[in-house]
Amino acid sequence: MNILLIGSGGREHALAWKLLQSPRLRKLYIAPGNAGTAMLGENVPLAASDTKGLLSFAQEKKIDLTIVGPDDPLALGIVDLFEAEGLRIFGPSQLGARLESSKSFAKDFMNRHGIPTAASKTFTTSSAASAYVQTANYPLVIKADGLALGKGVIIATKREEALGAIHQSMDLGLFGAAGRTILIEEFLSGVECSLHALVDGKSKLLFPDARDHKRVFDGNRGPNTGGMGTISPSGLLDAQVEKTLERMLFEPLLRGLKADSLPFRGMLFPGIMLTEEGPKVLEFNCRFGDPETQVFLRRLKSDLLDLLEATVDGTLANEEPSWEERSAVCIVLASGGYPGSSEKGKIIQGLTAAQALDPDIVLFHAGVVQEGSSYYTAGGRVLGITALGATLQEASQRAYAAAELIHFEGKHYRRDIGVGIRTI
Ligand code: AMP
Ligand code: GLY
């Protein structure tokens, strides 16, 4: 098969790495890709948001399946565009993707279909939002309605913070159009987890559990990021909790998609808070997580292409993938300044030494560009260092040993990914 993979992050390098193991893959194109995907297939200089350009390319190269990595092209309706031309594509329709691209849409969907979530109110003017927070209980959570690279959520502990966040988002346009409408919601405390499930409109296929580390500093301190590292299994969920999540979240979700005629064939991954009152959904993501994908694909033993095709064809009920018993860890090395505006163009050294340390290490590139035989940072998250181990500790030690051998100016990473966590 000829495959077109859209995106340029660590997630896409991991998807490309796994797709290459499929005996059915003939030619792999990645648009626009990164230095890591260039080693596995042909990078195509088309932006992920250039939906028309991508369509023409897929038609010209007789692509059998297009796989969408990031959220933006989904929100722009790339799936509808390809399907209207009779092309097969993995991902939800524009309407289905609104579960991620509009938090108020998702909230309304959850409330109508009995999916537990935090109580919230939607505001379209800063004066109404500001009046509301004058008398509200704290802490409370202020969320940009649209896509904001995982940075559009502010937890306000007092009124001044809430007013500041409203002003920045709604009046100053900190998140652009995404933040002109906001949600103000109840603060939930508990243990946070997420689950990934492929959904084909009729059935779902749950992935093993994984845990992201969203805050930039150790011990979950500092601002939120796209994700600084992942472990799988998470050490948080046992079989019973997973069953509860299936029953309370995924089953009403599938019923809701059907009842609302929301076409959805792709990956759905809710962020969940396990509260004293039971599990509640914080948000939906309509794509593979980054860096969750990196650990999943280290653990997936079956052919990824089979699973993606079954999702598109509506035959997921027949799939029974097998997974590594071993644990997987991914440690993200980020550019100086991330998650704020970050440095670029720093030479990366030690990649060969890190790889040579252990054949079990796989380095997934994200913000990396190659020039000649040298690699340079392109800002943001730069690399995801992954390893397997009999335990999370073992996997984590292996990944950290490799992480320490890689150098670039401003490099920073968390030191507590998979450290001290017991697997349930
Ligand atoms: P979201 O993008 O909606 O998942 O929010 C990003 C992060 O903000 C989540 O991973 C949580 O850590 C936190 N968060 C979001 N909503 C709430 C809430 N209602 N209560 C407490 N924390 C929240
Ligand atoms: N790592 C979280 C996400 O991909 O949204």
Short mmCIF file of all heavy atoms in Angstrom, two decimals, residues 11 100 150 196 212-214 225-228 230 269 283 285 287-292 381, ligand 2:
data_model
loop_
_atom_site.label_atom_id
_atom_site.label_comp_id
_atom_site.label_asym_id
_atom_site.label_seq_id
_atom_site.Cartn_x
_atom_site.Cartn_y
_atom_site.Cartn_z
N ARG A 11 5.14 12.05 17.50
CA ARG A 11 4.05 11.09 17.24
C ARG A 11 4.14 10.54 15.82
O ARG A 11 4.02 9.33 15.60
CB ARG A 11 2.72 11.84 17.44
CG ARG A 11 1.51 11.13 16.85
CD ARG A 11 0.25 11.99 17.04
NE ARG A 11 0.43 13.35 16.55
CZ ARG A 11 -0.20 14.41 17.02
NH1 ARG A 11 -1.08 14.29 17.97
NH2 ARG A 11 0.01 15.60 16.52
N GLU A 100 -12.99 17.80 19.96
CA GLU A 100 -11.73 18.37 20.45
C GLU A 100 -11.62 19.85 20.13
O GLU A 100 -11.13 20.63 20.95
CB GLU A 100 -10.52 17.63 19.84
CG GLU A 100 -9.21 18.26 20.29
CD GLU A 100 -7.97 17.44 19.97
OE1 GLU A 100 -8.09 16.38 19.35
OE2 GLU A 100 -6.88 17.87 20.37
N GLY A 150 -2.60 22.81 23.81
CA GLY A 150 -2.53 22.32 25.19
C GLY A 150 -2.23 23.41 26.20
O GLY A 150 -1.96 23.13 27.36
N HIS A 196 -6.83 5.73 25.48
CA HIS A 196 -6.97 5.85 24.03
C HIS A 196 -7.85 4.72 23.53
O HIS A 196 -7.71 3.58 23.97
CB HIS A 196 -5.61 5.70 23.34
CG HIS A 196 -4.78 6.94 23.31
ND1 HIS A 196 -4.37 7.61 24.43
CD2 HIS A 196 -4.26 7.64 22.25
CE1 HIS A 196 -3.64 8.66 24.07
NE2 HIS A 196 -3.56 8.69 22.76
N ASP A 212 0.63 10.61 30.73
CA ASP A 212 1.44 11.72 30.27
C ASP A 212 1.90 12.55 31.47
O ASP A 212 1.35 12.41 32.56
CB ASP A 212 0.58 12.59 29.33
CG ASP A 212 1.38 13.64 28.58
OD1 ASP A 212 2.62 13.59 28.64
OD2 ASP A 212 0.76 14.50 27.93
N HIS A 213 2.89 13.36 31.29
CA HIS A 213 3.34 14.29 32.34
C HIS A 213 3.32 15.67 31.71
O HIS A 213 4.23 16.04 30.98
CB HIS A 213 4.75 13.91 32.80
CG HIS A 213 4.82 12.56 33.43
ND1 HIS A 213 4.68 11.40 32.72
CD2 HIS A 213 4.97 12.18 34.72
CE1 HIS A 213 4.76 10.36 33.54
NE2 HIS A 213 4.93 10.81 34.76
N LYS A 214 2.22 16.41 32.00
CA LYS A 214 1.97 17.63 31.22
C LYS A 214 2.73 18.85 31.70
O LYS A 214 3.02 19.74 30.92
CB LYS A 214 0.48 17.96 31.26
CG LYS A 214 -0.33 17.01 30.39
CD LYS A 214 -1.71 17.56 30.13
CE LYS A 214 -2.48 16.60 29.24
NZ LYS A 214 -3.81 17.04 28.95
N THR A 225 2.41 21.80 29.26
CA THR A 225 3.08 21.66 27.96
C THR A 225 2.23 20.71 27.11
O THR A 225 1.21 20.22 27.57
CB THR A 225 4.47 21.01 28.14
OG1 THR A 225 4.26 19.64 28.55
CG2 THR A 225 5.31 21.72 29.17
N GLY A 226 2.72 20.39 25.92
CA GLY A 226 2.06 19.36 25.12
C GLY A 226 2.26 17.97 25.72
O GLY A 226 1.55 17.03 25.37
N GLY A 227 3.22 17.83 26.62
CA GLY A 227 3.53 16.54 27.24
C GLY A 227 5.03 16.35 27.30
O GLY A 227 5.72 16.46 26.30
N MET A 228 5.56 16.10 28.51
CA MET A 228 7.02 16.01 28.71
C MET A 228 7.51 14.57 28.82
O MET A 228 8.71 14.33 28.96
CB MET A 228 7.41 16.77 29.99
CG MET A 228 7.23 18.26 29.91
SD MET A 228 8.22 19.05 28.61
CE MET A 228 9.88 18.90 29.29
N THR A 230 6.00 10.07 28.85
CA THR A 230 4.89 9.13 29.06
C THR A 230 5.41 7.80 29.57
O THR A 230 6.55 7.42 29.29
CB THR A 230 4.13 8.87 27.74
OG1 THR A 230 5.05 8.90 26.66
CG2 THR A 230 3.03 9.87 27.51
N PHE A 269 -9.39 10.01 22.45
CA PHE A 269 -8.76 9.82 23.77
C PHE A 269 -9.17 10.89 24.75
O PHE A 269 -8.78 12.04 24.65
CB PHE A 269 -7.25 9.58 23.62
CG PHE A 269 -6.27 10.65 23.90
CD1 PHE A 269 -5.90 10.99 25.20
CD2 PHE A 269 -5.63 11.28 22.86
CE1 PHE A 269 -4.93 11.93 25.44
CE2 PHE A 269 -4.65 12.22 23.08
CZ PHE A 269 -4.30 12.56 24.37
N GLU A 283 -11.59 16.52 28.94
CA GLU A 283 -11.56 16.98 27.53
C GLU A 283 -11.53 15.75 26.65
O GLU A 283 -11.21 14.65 27.10
CB GLU A 283 -10.30 17.81 27.26
CG GLU A 283 -9.04 16.98 27.46
CD GLU A 283 -7.78 17.54 26.81
OE1 GLU A 283 -7.87 18.51 26.06
OE2 GLU A 283 -6.72 16.96 27.06
N ASN A 285 -9.73 14.31 23.05
CA ASN A 285 -8.80 14.50 21.95
C ASN A 285 -9.22 13.52 20.86
O ASN A 285 -9.64 12.41 21.16
CB ASN A 285 -7.37 14.22 22.39
CG ASN A 285 -6.95 15.16 23.51
OD1 ASN A 285 -6.85 16.36 23.29
ND2 ASN A 285 -6.75 14.63 24.69
N ARG A 287 -7.43 12.29 18.21
CA ARG A 287 -6.21 11.94 17.48
C ARG A 287 -5.32 11.17 18.44
O ARG A 287 -5.62 11.09 19.63
CB ARG A 287 -5.51 13.24 17.07
CG ARG A 287 -5.37 14.08 18.32
CD ARG A 287 -4.66 15.36 18.18
NE ARG A 287 -4.80 16.10 19.43
CZ ARG A 287 -4.12 15.86 20.54
NH1 ARG A 287 -3.20 14.92 20.56
NH2 ARG A 287 -4.34 16.54 21.65
N PHE A 288 -4.24 10.62 17.93
CA PHE A 288 -3.26 9.96 18.80
C PHE A 288 -2.58 11.03 19.66
O PHE A 288 -2.25 12.11 19.16
CB PHE A 288 -2.18 9.31 17.95
CG PHE A 288 -2.53 7.97 17.37
CD1 PHE A 288 -3.12 7.86 16.12
CD2 PHE A 288 -2.25 6.80 18.06
CE1 PHE A 288 -3.42 6.62 15.57
CE2 PHE A 288 -2.54 5.55 17.52
CZ PHE A 288 -3.13 5.46 16.27
N GLY A 289 -2.34 10.71 20.93
CA GLY A 289 -1.61 11.64 21.81
C GLY A 289 -0.14 11.67 21.47
O GLY A 289 0.43 10.71 20.95
N ASP A 290 0.48 12.78 21.79
CA ASP A 290 1.91 12.95 21.59
C ASP A 290 2.49 13.48 22.89
O ASP A 290 2.16 14.61 23.27
CB ASP A 290 2.14 13.95 20.44
CG ASP A 290 3.60 14.12 20.07
OD1 ASP A 290 4.47 13.63 20.82
OD2 ASP A 290 3.87 14.73 19.03
N PRO A 291 3.19 12.72 23.69
CA PRO A 291 3.97 11.52 23.39
C PRO A 291 3.37 10.18 23.84
O PRO A 291 4.14 9.23 24.02
CB PRO A 291 5.28 11.78 24.12
CG PRO A 291 4.86 12.53 25.36
CD PRO A 291 3.62 13.30 24.99
N GLU A 292 2.05 10.06 23.97
CA GLU A 292 1.48 8.75 24.31
C GLU A 292 1.75 7.72 23.21
O GLU A 292 2.05 6.56 23.48
CB GLU A 292 -0.04 8.87 24.51
CG GLU A 292 -0.47 9.54 25.81
CD GLU A 292 -0.57 11.05 25.69
OE1 GLU A 292 0.03 11.63 24.76
OE2 GLU A 292 -1.25 11.65 26.55
N ARG A 381 9.35 20.72 21.48
CA ARG A 381 9.85 19.41 21.92
C ARG A 381 10.77 18.88 20.82
O ARG A 381 10.41 18.89 19.65
CB ARG A 381 8.68 18.49 22.20
CG ARG A 381 7.86 18.97 23.39
CD ARG A 381 6.70 18.08 23.71
NE ARG A 381 5.63 18.17 22.73
CZ ARG A 381 4.53 17.41 22.75
NH1 ARG A 381 4.36 16.52 23.71
NH2 ARG A 381 3.61 17.55 21.83
N1 GLY B 2 0.02 14.46 25.27
C1 GLY B 2 -1.26 15.00 25.27
C2 GLY B 2 -1.85 15.23 23.95
O1 GLY B 2 -1.38 14.75 22.94
O2 GLY B 2 -2.87 15.91 23.90
#
